[in-house]
Amino acid sequence: MTQLTNASEVVEEMPVAGAPVVRVQQPEHSTPSVKTPLTAFIGLESSDNGVTLVELVGDSVLTETRQLSGNVGEELSAWLSELVAQRHQQIIAAAIRKDDTLAHLFSRLWLKEDIVPFIIAAPREEPLEKLVREVAANFDAQNVVQIPLSLSQEVGVADLVTLDDYRAVTVLQDFALLSRLVQAFQGKRLVFVNATPRGGGVALMRHALIRLLRLMNVDAHWYVLVPNAEVFDITKRKFHNVLQAVAAPDVVLTDEDKAVFNAWSAENAHLLHDVFKQADVLVIDDPQPAGLIPYIKQANPHAHIIYRSHIQIVSSLASQPGTPQNITWEFLWQTIKDADYFVSHPMSMFVPKNVPDDKVLYMPATTDPLDGLNKELSEEQMEHYLHFFNEILEREGQTPLDLTRPYIVQIARFDPSKGIPDVLEAYRRLCIMLQERQQPVPQLVIAGNGSVDDPDGVPIFNHVQELLRSDLYAALASDVKVARLPHRDQLLNTLLRKSSVVLQLSTKEGFEVKVTEALMKGKPVVAYHVGGIPLQIVNGVNGHLVEVGNTVQVAQHIYDLLTDTSLYERMSMAAVELAGKDYLTVPNAICWLYLALTLLKNERLEGRFRWVAELARKEWSGVADEEEGEDQMQCA
């Protein structure tokens, strides 16, 4: 547990608002000024003369060749660490030719050195410097990589790790089961369609899933829709927010909205026509691509369709005639009803009553243990990301995060359902409790990514800033760090790893796998008892579940964790031990291949709200056990 440092506050009563305000006296020390690391891109090449490294920093190029003997991977790591330390750099990405003997080290570059590998099919005659410049051109000014899209909107997924890397972090029985399902699926094509290639949990899951399936030679593809700001405003405010019941009562889907959405669906269907014809099974992620379903049926009557709902639908309102939720849902159901399965987060209250029970199956959201959000990071690497975070804060006119003091954190999109005002109120109450007991005060970090299909981000961010300028919170504002972050997953990873306590005060939620990501890092989570969050937290063991709006109880739980070291250590250990193993990429792949195979064999499941992973393990457990035994015999 991070030890709290000294700070003092004075509580003053506000006679007008009637709520106490904490006046925080800042500690004398602050974050020391540290020079920002230089951004570098490298190329690696082996030859008879040794290993050549070409380094690009800005427009300057340095070339060095060394003889590496013995363990090339270890020696290369030492060389790169030397460069980073001596030249105060952060190496962002590396170019390696596909046929180079160093190409097999690509996953080491990612997992150990935090360098994005680019394995490039290029002839030896092409200068290594040119390859490095091409790699650097894939990154923007904040070193966020551009996600490649084909003309048909297929998403290019990065090769970051090997199959052995996944095998090392997976339960043996699950890996054997997945291997068997992969073998049975050979010769068939699986296609996923969603709104965007970046931003939000769906895109993160698809990157990891497609990466794994491709490693196992599954013919799997992922396509996204053509972005349209007008449509995304409709799908966010009048689909997503309305179905979650977080929109204002007067926000209602109109006939004009429906016409705009239908025209956009037709445009995307035309673009994806050949994709539909070649697919055996298609997965439609959330309402945005739901309008494609009739076009899929028309282009390929033999294709099977699975609809995956990732959001909390307030089914009681969606099933009540005349409500905004019912108007939206009935419009969407006109197309979704033709899907073979309706896959939901494991909460029956998320499923509208007109969805037939035999179509309903359960799958949780998942996260990937090897991606930027979850892989291990060294202290030096995390230091780089924390200073990058402070650069973002300073550009926004905020004081930097004091790296010598602890902080609590909520990582989430700036969305009406994420309960950010409650986070501020719980923090205010925590500060009062700590002052009354003469305890030091931690900082608060509220941060998350944006998404192209989410127009709520900026208004909610601005609203939080307005709250911090109000009389109730102004005295705390300098200790509250609020940031919309670029899509560098290691930054979120770092903020979670270096935090003391993690909050997730969503008032409405589908699953929010950020809870599992925090638990995997040994962080106790204090969260509201909504959606799929209770499936991830054992109340009082690895975190706390609180009823929505009870910020007093939230503050008390945070206080206990910050001031009781033995309690914190017990919960931290339990967090790691109990983090859901079914909420990872391999079980996710098992579920999708199992569902696809049942449809291809014309053995459509009777869903009835059953967990797909349990069905897959029950049906295929004998095969998986046999393979496990064979593997053990071969090892012996």
Side-chain angles (χ1 to χ4, degrees):
M1 175 180 174
T2 306
Q3 293 298 313
L4 295 173
T5 56
N6 290 326
S8 60
E9 303 89 23
V10 177
V11 178
E12 297 182 1
E13 292 295 331
M14 285 189 62
V16 177
V21 176
V22 181
R23 304 298 182 189
V24 179
Q25 179 180 333
Q26 298 299 331
E28 294 181 1
H29 57 263
S30 60
T31 300
S33 177
V34 177
K35 183 181 178 183
T36 303
L38 297 171
T39 293
F41 297 89
I42 64 170
L44 295 168
E45 179 177 81
S46 61
S47 67
D48 293 340
N49 297 324
V51 173
T52 297
L53 184 150
V54 172
E55 180 183 51
L56 177 67
V57 179
D59 203 42
S60 300
V61 178
L62 297 174
T63 301
E64 183 179 356
T65 300
R66 290 188 183 183
Q67 286 288 344
L68 301 183
S69 58
N71 190 324
V72 175
E74 291 292 341
E75 292 186 35
L76 179 60
S77 290
W79 186 6
L80 295 174
S81 297
E82 178 186 319
L83 287 177
V84 168
Q86 289 182 352
R87 301 176 185 175
H88 194 59
Q89 296 172 343
Q90 183 179 23
I91 301 174
I92 303 300
I96 307 177
R97 288 185 176 85
K98 188 175 183 179
D99 60 356
D100 197 288
T101 57
L102 297 174
H104 73 284
L105 296 174
F106 76 98
S107 69
R108 182 188 184 93
L109 290 173
W110 170 246
L111 294 174
K112 300 295 184 184
E113 310 305 327
D114 193 35
I115 297 172
V116 180
F118 280 72
I119 307 302
I120 303 171
R124 281 279 170 176
E125 296 75 28
E126 195 161 352
L128 186 57
E129 179 185 334
K130 180 183 177 184
L131 300 184
V132 177
R133 291 186 181 277
E134 289 175 356
V135 166
N138 286 283
F139 292 80
D140 67 13
Q142 294 184 308
N143 297 320
V144 176
V145 69
Q146 300 172 19
I147 296 177
L149 294 177
S150 72
L151 292 176
S152 60
Q153 292 289 103
E154 181 170 8
V155 181
V157 174
D159 295 321
L160 299 176
V161 295
T162 68
L163 197 56
D164 283 340
D165 293 322
Y166 273 109
R167 186 181 284 110
V169 296
T170 302
V171 176
L172 182 62
Q173 293 89 338
D174 277 357
F175 202 88
L177 171 55
L178 178 59
S179 299
R180 179 62 176 167
L181 291 167
V182 165
Q183 183 180 359
F185 193 76
Q186 291 302 303
K188 301 299 182 181
R189 175 169 291 190
L190 177 62
V191 169
F192 294 84
V193 184
N194 81 309
T196 65
R198 170 181 280 151
V202 176
L204 288 167
M205 283 191 286
R206 293 296 163 259
H207 276 285
L209 178 65
I210 297 298
R211 182 180 301 119
L212 172 61
L213 292 178
R214 292 282 181 86
L215 285 172
M216 302 192 79
N217 296 315
V218 174
D219 189 6
H221 302 263
W222 171 26
Y223 296 85
V224 294
L225 304 172
V226 176
N228 182 302
E230 181 183 12
V231 175
F232 285 160
D233 182 68
I234 294 169
T235 59
K236 183 59 169 67
R237 294 193 308 111
K238 298 186 177 183
F239 288 5
H240 186 279
N241 290 356
V242 164
L243 291 174
Q244 283 199 317
V246 296
D250 60 347
V251 177
V252 179
L253 187 69
T254 66
D255 288 342
E256 182 181 355
D257 296 330
K258 296 175 184 178
V260 170
F261 178 78
N262 286 336
W264 179 66
S265 297
E267 174 191 349
N268 280 282
H270 177 74
L271 177 66
L272 296 172
H273 180 77
D274 289 343
V275 173
F276 299 159
K277 290 178 66 175
Q278 296 166 11
D280 294 291
V281 179
L282 294 103
V283 177
I284 301 298
D285 280 312
D286 273 340
Q288 295 95 324
L292 300 178
I293 293 175
Y295 297 97
I296 296 171
K297 292 285 188 181
Q298 183 179 1
N300 185 355
H302 300 292
H304 299 281
I305 302 170
I306 302 171
Y307 179 78
R308 174 58 162 110
S309 176
H310 295 271
I311 65 173
Q312 176 181 0
I313 299 174
V314 181
S315 61
S316 59
L317 294 175
S319 304
Q320 182 179 335
T323 63
Q325 291 75 22
N326 180 256
I327 292 169
T328 291
W329 176 248
E330 288 300 324
F331 171 68
L332 293 171
W333 181 241
Q334 293 173 17
T335 57
I336 294 172
K337 63 182 175 59
D338 291 326
D340 295 283
Y341 293 140
F342 183 98
V343 178
S344 167
H345 288 318
M347 305 292 289
S348 61
M349 66 185 71
F350 290 4
V351 183
K353 292 181 173 56
N354 61 346
V355 181
D357 288 359
D358 63 353
K359 282 192 174 187
V360 180
L361 290 153
Y362 282 163
M363 286 174 58
T366 56
T367 191
D368 191 83
L370 303 176
D371 68 7
L373 288 167
N374 297 300
K375 67 174 183 171
E376 295 285 342
L377 295 169
S378 70
E379 287 297 324
E380 292 79 8
Q381 289 162 358
M382 287 190 284
E383 182 180 341
H384 287 322
Y385 288 111
L386 287 172
H387 286 295
F388 178 50
F389 179 64
N390 275 340
E391 284 184 4
I392 294 170
L393 293 176
E394 290 176 329
R395 284 199 297 268
E396 292 285 341
Q398 300 180 47
T399 57
L401 183 68
D402 187 340
L403 304 183
T404 67
R405 296 172 57 203
Y407 62 88
I408 58 179
V409 65
Q410 173 160 305
I411 300 293
R413 289 180 296 110
F414 287 87
D415 183 280
S417 67
K418 298 301 180 180
I420 297 175
D422 282 16
V423 173
L424 291 177
E425 180 58 16
Y427 179 67
R428 185 185 71 84
R429 293 180 180 277
L430 171 68
C431 291
I432 293 171
M433 295 173 64
L434 291 167
Q435 183 276 332
E436 289 175 345
R437 295 162 178 81
Q438 297 184 343
Q439 295 284 343
V441 174
Q443 300 163 100
L444 171 64
V445 172
I446 302 171
N449 298 136
S451 176
V452 68
D453 68 334
D454 183 5
D456 281 330
V458 172
I460 298 298
F461 177 85
N462 291 339
H463 177 60
V464 174
Q465 298 288 12
E466 289 174 7
L467 286 175
L468 287 171
R469 288 191 291 269
S470 70
D471 289 341
L472 195 58
Y473 299 110
L476 301 174
S478 63
D479 261 352
V480 180
K481 317 303 174 185
V482 185
R484 296 184 76 215
L485 302 178
H487 289 273
R488 295 185 68 181
D489 292 343
Q490 298 95 309
L491 179 53
L492 299 182
N493 187 343
T494 297
L495 288 173
L496 285 175
R497 287 187 185 277
K498 302 301 285 187
S499 68
S500 295
V501 178
V502 175
L503 304 181
Q504 190 57 61
L505 301 189
S506 299
T507 57
K508 297 288 175 64
E509 193 57 81
F511 193 84
E512 191 45 270
V513 79
K514 280 285 177 290
V515 171
T516 287
E517 291 170 2
L519 296 173
M520 289 166 62
K521 298 168 180 61
K523 303 301 176 181
V525 180
V526 181
Y528 279 160
H529 193 289
V530 296
I533 291 176
L535 297 172
Q536 303 170 75
I537 294 176
V538 181
N539 192 30
V541 178
N542 59 355
H544 293 286
L545 294 169
V546 180
E547 293 306 312
V548 172
N550 193 344
T551 55
V552 173
Q553 191 64 57
V554 171
Q556 182 65 57
H557 287 315
I558 302 171
Y559 176 87
D560 292 341
L561 286 164
L562 291 177
T563 58
D564 187 336
T565 301
S566 62
L567 171 66
Y568 186 94
E569 289 176 350
R570 288 197 306 273
M571 281 201 163
S572 178
M573 291 178 61
V576 175
E577 292 171 0
L578 299 177
K581 301 300 186 289
D582 274 351
Y583 307 151
L584 302 176
T585 302
V586 167
N588 188 240
I590 287 171
C591 290
W592 287 120
L593 290 182
Y594 173 71
L595 288 181
L597 285 168
T598 63
L599 293 171
L600 291 170
K601 293 188 295 184
N602 293 316
E603 298 175 356
R604 195 167 76 84
L605 295 168
E606 289 288 318
R608 304 199 179 281
F609 304 89
R610 292 186 291 174
W611 287 66
V612 177
E614 291 180 2
L615 293 172
R617 289 181 180 124
K618 181 178 180 180
E619 182 175 335
W620 290 74
S621 60
V623 174
D625 289 343
E626 289 175 12
E627 291 195 354
E628 179 187 348
E630 292 174 3
D631 289 343
Q632 290 174 343
M633 289 179 64
Q634 290 173 1
C635 291

